[in-house]
Amino acid sequence: MEFMNRYGHAVSAQDFAAQTRYFLTDSFHLQMLEGQQTGLAYYLSAAAESYVAMK
């Protein structure tokens, strides 16, 4: 998130978690992430949700 906020577009923890949930429902993004590493899309989503819960 720090990288995205510094070099991309501003994003909150809640926004990032919502984006990772979308990745799980969109076949293009799901296949892209899972093609890089099995379980990556689910890991990102779980990590984002955990981060939001800590805030």
Side-chain angles (χ1 to χ4, degrees):
M1 287 192 43
E2 181 180 331
F3 178 86
M4 289 173 52
N5 283 321
R6 184 177 296 174
Y7 300 107
H9 62 284
V11 63
S12 70
Q14 293 82 5
D15 292 339
F16 184 67
Q19 186 176 23
T20 62
R21 285 191 300 274
Y22 171 74
F23 292 163
L24 298 177
T25 64
D26 180 67
S27 62
F28 172 79
H29 289 95
L30 182 61
Q31 290 175 5
M32 179 183 64
L33 291 168
E34 292 298 299
Q36 292 178 32
Q37 177 67 45
T38 302
L40 180 58
Y42 301 95
Y43 173 81
L44 284 175
S45 184
E49 294 295 339
S50 293
Y51 186 72
V52 168
M54 289 180 5
K55 289 279 180 184

